[in-house]
């Protein structure tokens, strides 16, 4: 029985209309506060899972949490976004594409800068939708807080740097080194070291590439970057193995 029907059924038959209205308002208030508490607690769990992933390079708890919430509430955009973000970090790219395609249809995605930024971070390398995301984020900038604008600028600059990775021009190295110095978590440091390893490999700086790859291998834990580092390390000249 719905809570408001249960509460009304407990009122005496002679209860006045005012008493019945008060009971109904009390029930709806309880339901709204209950929903708010559940939402607050789920966001707290999400924040903890993200922090754990950042500090321990382990996306599995985040993925498990998001998958559980999404099964119970298929329309929850934020948890679907983080689910699509966690999957490729574990190397599960095909599953990530399905989730990302699902989120792309959510009408609130283009209105939420944080969600849009995380969603786009999970897109495959070279995906043309990155340009569309950049346009949407630029349009949202006037409504952002200063800290959020700085984060968007930083991520956009990183993506422009990564776009140059194939050619690996000399001017790219200080930009990648700057990203490493600005990294705020172990996961970000692993990503920056991996980017520098790829750059150094492209430039045939074998010793530097090995140094960056060893950092990734020592710290990547369950991130797919560990597998990528192992594969790249095998490609180095034997003198550096």
């Amino acid at each position: 029985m719905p809570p408001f029907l249960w509460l009304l059924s407990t009122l005496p038959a002679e209860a006045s209309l005012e008493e019945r209205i008060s009971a109904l308002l009390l029930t709806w208030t309880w339901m709204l506060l209950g929903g708010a508490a559940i939402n607050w607690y789920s966001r707290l769990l999400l924040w903890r899972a993200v922090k754990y992933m950042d500090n321990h390079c382990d996306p599995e708890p985040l993925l498990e949490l998001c998958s559980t919430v999404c099964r119970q509430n298929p329309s929850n955009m934020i948890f679907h976004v983080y689910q699509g973000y966690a999957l490729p970090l574990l190397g599960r790219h095909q599953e990530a594409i399905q989730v990302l395609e699902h989120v792309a249809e959510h009408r609130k995605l283009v209105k939420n800068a944080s969600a849009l930024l995380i969603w786009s971070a999970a897109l495959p390398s070279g995906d043309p939708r990155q340009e569309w995301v950049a346009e949407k984020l630029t349009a949202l900038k006037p409504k952002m807080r200063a800290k959020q604008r700085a984060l968007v600028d930083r991520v956009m600059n990183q993506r422009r740097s990564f776009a140059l990775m194939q050619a690996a021009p000399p001017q790219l190295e200080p930009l990648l080194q700057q990203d490493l110095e600005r990294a705020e978590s172990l996961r970000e440091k692993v990503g920056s070291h991996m980017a520098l390893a790829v750059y150094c490999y492209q430039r045939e700086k074998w010793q530097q590439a090995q140094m960056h790859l060893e950092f990734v291998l020592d710290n990547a834990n369950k991130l797919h970057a560990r597998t990528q580092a192992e594969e790249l390390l095998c490609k180095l000249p034997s003198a550096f193995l």
Side-chain angles (χ1 to χ4, degrees):
M1 178 183 293
F4 70 93
L5 291 180
W6 174 82
L7 183 57
L8 289 176
S9 70
T10 63
L11 293 173
E14 63 272 15
S16 66
L17 177 62
E18 183 178 348
E19 288 174 328
R20 293 180 182 276
I21 292 176
S22 297
L24 185 60
L25 290 174
L26 178 62
T27 304
W28 280 113
T29 301
W30 175 81
M31 292 175 66
L32 289 172
L33 289 175
I38 291 172
N39 184 60
W40 174 84
Y41 185 62
S42 62
R43 291 299 183 96
L44 175 63
L45 292 178
L46 178 63
W47 178 81
R48 287 179 176 175
V50 171
K51 294 298 290 184
Y52 183 85
M53 175 186 68
D54 284 343
N55 293 329
H56 298 86
C57 295
D58 182 4
E60 288 184 350
L62 174 62
L63 178 59
E64 183 179 353
L65 170 66
C66 292
S67 298
T68 299
V69 173
C70 291
R71 281 194 299 269
Q72 297 173 350
N73 185 4
S75 63
N76 190 303
M77 181 191 70
I78 295 298
F79 281 86
H80 270 106
V81 166
Y82 275 99
Q83 183 184 35
Y85 181 65
L87 283 166
L89 290 176
L90 291 165
R92 297 163 62 176
H93 300 288
Q94 288 303 120
E95 296 173 69
I97 290 174
Q98 295 177 5
V99 175
L100 296 173
E101 293 293 346
H102 173 74
V103 176
E105 300 174 1
H106 203 291
R107 59 184 177 82
K108 293 184 179 180
L109 179 63
V110 296
K111 301 177 183 179
N112 188 319
S114 297
L116 189 58
L117 196 63
I118 296 165
W119 176 82
S120 63
L123 291 173
S125 178
D127 193 300
R129 286 174 291 186
Q130 293 285 11
E131 296 182 9
W132 172 80
V133 169
E135 292 176 2
K136 294 298 181 182
L137 287 173
T138 300
L140 289 171
K141 265 190 173 184
K143 301 178 182 179
M144 296 180 192
R145 298 185 298 273
K147 188 175 181 179
Q148 194 174 35
R149 284 198 301 271
L151 176 61
V152 169
D153 288 339
R154 178 184 167 194
V155 173
M156 291 297 103
N157 288 333
Q158 284 179 335
R159 290 178 185 173
R160 282 190 283 270
S161 297
F162 292 159
L164 300 173
M165 191 66 76
Q166 191 66 33
Q171 65 268 27
L172 179 57
E173 185 171 10
L175 297 177
L176 296 176
Q177 190 64 44
Q178 188 177 67
D179 288 338
L180 175 59
E181 293 168 359
R182 291 178 177 175
E184 297 178 352
S185 68
L186 182 59
R187 181 189 58 79
E188 289 181 348
K189 290 178 182 178
V190 166
S192 295
H193 275 285
M194 189 66 209
L196 279 162
V198 173
Y199 169 83
C200 291
Y201 178 84
Q202 297 282 74
R203 299 289 298 179
E204 298 186 357
K205 296 182 176 182
W206 312 124
Q207 191 168 6
Q208 288 177 254
Q210 182 187 22
M211 177 191 69
H212 293 298
L213 289 172
E214 287 176 349
F215 181 92
V216 175
L217 291 173
D218 288 341
N219 296 280
N221 195 8
K222 296 183 181 180
L223 294 175
H224 182 57
R226 183 183 189 86
T227 301
Q228 294 173 313
E230 290 172 347
E231 293 173 351
L232 189 57
L233 190 64
C234 291
K235 296 179 181 179
L236 291 180
S238 57
F240 293 90
L241 299 179

